[in-house]
Amino acid sequence: MKTRLFLLMIIFALGLSACVPAVENPPTTMPHGEISPEPTDMLVTEPPTEEPQPTPQPTLEPTAEVVTPASNLYAYVKDYQVYILNPVDLSVVKIGDSNHPFGYGPDCWQSSPRLSLDGRYLAFEVNCGNSFIVYDLLENNQIAEIVKASDPEILGDTLLGWAENGRLYYTRMVGGCSFEPELKGPERMEVYSYDPVSGGTRYEFDLPKVNDVPHAYSIGITIDPQAAYVIAWNAACSVGLGTRFLLNTSTGDYELEPSTWPESFGDLEGHYSSFPAEQYVYGADGGKLFVLKDPEIEWDPNARLMFLPAGASESVQIDSGNFIELVSQAPLVK
């Protein structure tokens, strides 16, 4: 009986608790206030240590090969065409071929080659245009054509040569040879220089008239590397060439056929072209370029062009044919 009464009381109590509504707690409100700018302290983890890596280098493009002129070249004229000999490999190029054009065909006669002292530029004369051509051997193209003032029928304007200042010197005739009503020569012979870098020309000085006759005038032969001296001919219209004379370009003084010539010209017998046509020429590299021909035949089709390298005992044949001029671009020492 007591047990039943106890169970009834437990059931009654459970029934009352089920009838009481549940009380919900309101959400907790954060207190108002400013947020501290200081960051919350946190445990800092050190990054793993790595092996040092080499700094990457930029990718370099291959440098283009720089072509430099030869230190010494030889020029020669065969059958009125100019050829260039490189003594380093004994190679020969013909000016005017498809690889070295200058604007005129093979029927254009070429003469008086003059090489710059650095071996880059070549100046020569052409009869078809009555002019001087300046050719860049490094770029293989013509850079200037200087029209001559003298009549192509007479010996007037000439190429003197290149100097160490990089300029090309040449003569320019003012006036000409006249025969009516009297025989009379040009007014004067001027010397100009040409700069291949700027392309400009300038007047330098006059060649002196060393003879008093009306038809006399001077024809330039060559200039020394310092442009301090000029060798020229004392000439006259319809008469021809006379004696040579040496001109001091700074003072204007001259001397007919001096007993000695300035050392800056080197060996005159093998230095300048055409006055007269030489049989050999020495180069700055110590080599010797010369022609073997029959001394009794002025126009020898069987003549052989020979080159003797410095220190060699035997010469090498370079070419054959009718050779007219030989010239080197540097002062020549025997």
Side-chain angles (χ1 to χ4, degrees):
M1 185 66 181
K2 290 182 178 181
T3 302
R4 290 180 178 179
L5 181 61
F6 178 74
L7 292 173
L8 288 174
M9 291 178 65
I10 290 174
I11 293 171
F12 180 76
L14 292 174
L16 288 177
S17 62
C19 294
V20 178
V23 179
E24 295 183 0
N25 293 325
T28 303
T29 305
M30 294 289 294
H32 294 287
E34 295 182 358
I35 299 175
S36 172
E38 295 295 330
T40 303
D41 292 337
M42 297 183 67
L43 180 62
V44 179
T45 303
E46 292 291 336
T49 303
E50 296 181 356
E51 293 293 330
Q53 300 296 321
T55 304
Q57 297 296 323
T59 303
L60 298 178
E61 296 296 330
T63 304
E65 182 181 355
V66 178
V67 180
T68 57
S71 59
N72 187 72
L73 295 173
Y74 295 83
Y76 63 92
V77 178
K78 184 185 75 168
D79 296 327
Y80 293 102
Q81 303 294 307
V82 173
Y83 295 80
I84 304 297
L85 166 67
N86 187 340
V88 175
D89 56 6
L90 299 183
S91 60
V92 173
V93 299
K94 178 182 179 182
I95 302 302
D97 64 10
S98 58
N99 293 321
H100 304 84
F102 66 92
Y104 293 98
D107 57 339
C108 182
W109 284 8
Q110 308 162 33
S111 60
S112 304
R114 299 290 184 268
L115 287 151
S116 63
L117 300 187
D118 61 2
R120 173 161 185 172
Y121 301 105
L122 168 71
F124 56 97
E125 183 178 337
V126 292
N127 72 326
C128 50
N130 193 36
S131 58
F132 303 133
I133 300 296
V134 184
Y135 193 86
D136 189 329
L137 294 171
L138 191 61
E139 298 294 334
N140 285 343
N141 66 326
Q142 174 188 315
I143 60 173
E145 181 172 11
I146 304 170
V147 179
K148 296 167 64 175
S150 59
D151 190 302
E153 298 299 323
I154 66 172
L155 184 56
D157 296 5
T158 59
L159 288 170
L160 296 176
W162 298 83
E164 291 176 345
N165 58 15
R167 303 183 73 92
L168 171 69
Y169 289 77
Y170 61 94
T171 64
R172 188 172 185 83
M173 178 181 283
V174 178
C177 291
S178 60
F179 302 92
E180 297 293 341
E182 62 178 349
L183 183 59
K184 186 179 179 181
E187 298 176 25
R188 61 186 180 275
M189 292 294 293
E190 300 175 333
V191 175
Y192 284 79
S193 69
Y194 166 78
D195 179 11
V197 177
S198 66
T201 61
R202 73 185 182 202
Y203 166 79
E204 298 289 349
F205 50 85
D206 281 6
L207 290 181
K209 182 178 177 180
V210 301
N211 195 300
D212 293 334
V213 297
H215 56 291
Y217 69 102
S218 298
I219 299 176
I221 299 175
T222 188
I223 192 167
D224 78 330
Q226 289 76 42
Y229 296 97
V230 167
I231 299 176
W233 285 108
N234 170 29
C237 296
S238 77
V239 176
L241 304 175
T243 56
R244 294 179 300 179
F245 66 89
L246 177 68
L247 170 68
N248 185 316
T249 61
S250 60
T251 65
D253 298 331
Y254 64 87
E255 183 180 0
L256 292 173
E257 289 292 348
S259 57
T260 59
W261 301 91
E263 293 183 359
S264 54
F265 284 108
D267 175 23
L268 286 177
E269 294 301 322
H271 181 75
Y272 54 86
S273 297
S274 293
F275 307 106
E278 61 280 273
Q279 299 301 306
Y280 63 91
V281 60
Y282 286 95
D285 63 332
K288 177 183 178 182
L289 187 69
F290 61 99
V291 174
L292 291 178
K293 66 177 183 179
D294 187 337
E296 297 181 358
I297 302 178
E298 183 178 355
W299 187 262
D300 185 358
N302 299 316
R304 292 179 294 155
L305 182 70
M306 312 296 290
F307 180 70
L308 180 65
S313 58
E314 295 185 5
S315 57
V316 180
Q317 180 173 324
I318 301 300
D319 205 345
S320 63
N322 300 308
F323 298 98
I324 305 165
E325 300 172 78
L326 305 177
V327 64
S328 174
Q329 109 295 7
L332 309 176
V333 180
K334 207 168 186 178

